[in-house]
Amino acid sequence: MFGRLVRKTPSKQIFTSAVRCYTNELDCAVSSSEFKELVDNFEPEQDIVFLDVREDEDTTDGFLPTYNSNGVKLRNIRIPILDLIEMQIHELEQYKDTHQIFVYCRGGNKSVAATRILDLHGYNTVNLKGGISKLKKVMDLWKQGSDSETKRGEEVEAFFEAMKLNDKYHH
């Protein structure tokens, strides 16, 4: 899918972060349909993180789902751009050398800035062109706290917690 932008490492493929053009466009960016495909086909063993850099006031369009259509939990992280600028990125540090970070915001401008900042600090990043405002045209987003998916995620987590407790007391 992204053959020309990929470099191979011993165990995986990572998009080349070094290929950047310091204009308003990034050489390493994905369209909304490509991003949706990544979300839909995400598997836990993939070295991918989805990073939302929107500030609170920019989240009215909705959020990526917690789980994709296959029931696989996405690796979603939200660090508002102002926190990222201050390098309050402890949640991301564990992924620095191993994962590709797909960065998005509302319209695409803040994620370009975030991508450049993270690139300068050695992260492997890809920007979502047009942000969540374009993504919502090709993908159903959810409103945090008011969606049945939130309940589904909570039910799944509760089920697995119950299974762990059950195993603990029966072994």
Side-chain angles (χ1 to χ4, degrees):
M1 177 160 102
F2 303 100
R4 69 178 181 80
L5 299 174
V6 176
R7 72 178 152 92
K8 294 183 183 221
T9 62
S11 63
K12 64 191 148 304
Q13 294 183 340
I14 297 181
F15 290 88
T16 306
S17 297
V19 185
R20 292 285 184 254
C21 169
Y22 285 95
T23 64
N24 289 334
E25 282 296 313
L26 294 173
D27 288 340
C28 198
V30 293
S31 68
S32 297
S33 57
E34 292 168 325
F35 191 90
K36 179 187 183 310
E37 185 179 334
L38 285 165
V39 169
D40 289 345
N41 297 316
F42 178 78
E43 293 292 334
E45 64 274 0
Q46 288 179 297
D47 296 328
I48 294 175
V49 173
F50 300 101
L51 176 62
D52 182 351
V53 296
R54 296 176 294 166
E55 295 294 330
D56 290 339
E57 62 272 10
D58 295 332
T59 61
T60 55
D61 287 333
F63 296 85
L64 282 186
T66 304
Y67 297 86
N68 68 10
S69 56
N70 298 320
V72 177
K73 187 170 185 174
L74 300 174
R75 201 172 289 117
N76 292 329
I77 297 177
R78 182 162 173 253
I79 302 175
I81 186 71
L82 295 177
D83 292 345
L84 192 131
I85 289 169
E86 294 174 0
M87 294 309 292
Q88 296 177 19
I89 57 173
H90 59 278
E91 288 178 85
L92 274 183
E93 289 172 358
Q94 64 183 316
Y95 304 113
K96 183 174 184 175
D97 297 321
T98 58
H99 286 64
Q100 183 66 58
I101 301 170
F102 287 83
V103 185
Y104 64 95
C105 63
R106 185 184 56 178
N109 294 326
K110 290 176 183 170
S111 59
V112 168
T115 298
R116 289 183 181 151
I117 290 167
L118 291 170
D119 283 349
L120 289 172
H121 290 278
Y123 289 85
N124 293 300
T125 61
V126 176
N127 183 53
L128 169 60
K129 291 186 224 172
I132 208 111
S133 61
K134 284 204 175 171
L135 184 64
K136 72 180 182 180
K137 295 175 183 175
V138 298
M139 180 177 175
D140 291 331
L141 302 175
W142 60 278
K143 304 291 182 191
Q144 193 168 14
S146 65
D147 191 272
S148 61
E149 183 151 359
T150 303
K151 185 176 180 187
R152 180 177 127 199
E154 291 168 355
E155 289 171 351
V156 168
E157 288 178 21
F159 172 77
F160 284 112
E161 275 305 309
M163 294 296 288
K164 284 183 206 173
L165 289 174
N166 192 23
D167 286 347
K168 181 178 175 182
Y169 291 114
H170 287 82
H171 286 115

